[in-house]
Amino acid sequence: EENTLVALNKKDGSLIWKTKSLGGGKAYASPLLINHNGRDIILAQTAQNLIGVNPEDGNVLWSYNLIQYHTHRQGKGAQANPPIYNNGNVFVTSGYNHPGILFTLSEDGNSVQVKWMNDTIDTHHGGVVLIDGNIYGANWEHNAKGKWASVNWETGKTNWEQEWINK
């Protein structure tokens, strides 16, 4: 209700800054500090939003509502997987039949836009990896089952999906 993200002094725990509140529930993924075109940006998530924050002052640069695509799907999203940043793009996935989404950051890092969405790679928890231009992870069928899958980073097309014992 008061703020979405805070920065604390690592030596004494005192408050350095806090962001404005974006409302909504917590997420489980840790924030990620990236450098985009020479500018540091913190990528963080709430149960509803992916946000970009200026690490110098806590100013929210942008916020993107991840739930707008989930109205016909289960859950609101735990956001348990940290985002992946590569070459100006940010990938997020949360399970519950929500699409994996790749965003493109603007040159100055002040905004994002959707590059693609993919319904195959919807990792619930455990994270995904980016190797040689492809994303690998498990998808979500229910809390104990999912298939292994691979999606092309640039195009968002599914490379393959493989049955497995569990996710």
Side-chain angles (χ1 to χ4, degrees):
E1 293 178 15
E2 294 181 27
N3 47 267
T4 296
L5 197 66
V6 298
L8 304 175
N9 183 306
K10 68 180 179 182
K11 293 180 182 174
D12 63 14
S14 62
L15 180 68
I16 298 172
W17 54 252
K18 59 184 177 179
T19 66
K20 66 180 182 181
S21 174
L22 297 175
K26 67 185 176 304
Y28 297 101
S30 297
L32 178 68
L33 178 65
I34 64 166
N35 186 282
H36 175 68
N37 293 334
R39 180 181 194 183
D40 286 341
I41 299 172
I42 298 171
L43 301 176
Q45 298 173 88
T46 68
Q48 295 179 328
N49 297 295
L50 172 66
I51 62 174
V53 176
N54 182 336
E56 294 177 14
D57 59 12
N59 183 41
V60 176
L61 303 170
W62 49 264
S63 174
Y64 195 93
N65 183 334
L66 298 168
I67 303 305
Q68 63 185 310
Y69 300 109
H70 305 167
T71 56
H72 65 286
R73 299 162 194 239
Q74 178 176 338
K76 286 197 170 188
Q79 313 307 348
N81 303 294
I84 293 179
Y85 172 78
N86 183 53
N87 201 26
N89 296 296
V90 177
F91 178 75
V92 294
T93 180
S94 63
Y96 299 108
N97 290 325
H98 299 171
I101 306 174
L102 188 75
F103 296 92
T104 299
L105 280 163
S106 63
E107 287 295 315
D108 62 7
N110 285 330
S111 64
V112 291
Q113 66 181 19
V114 173
K115 182 173 182 178
W116 54 256
M117 287 187 276
N118 179 289
D119 284 326
T120 302
I121 194 89
D122 62 338
T123 302
H124 180 220
H125 56 77
V128 295
V129 295
L130 173 63
I131 301 171
D132 297 330
N134 297 292
I135 303 167
Y136 298 90
N139 60 23
W140 187 87
E141 290 183 21
H142 55 72
N143 281 347
K145 186 163 176 57
K147 298 174 184 170
W148 289 105
S150 173
V151 171
N152 183 275
W153 177 268
E154 288 299 320
T155 66
K157 293 185 180 180
T158 300
N159 296 322
W160 51 262
E161 186 178 18
Q162 177 66 43
E163 289 283 344
W164 197 247
I165 299 165
N166 62 32
K167 62 179 179 161

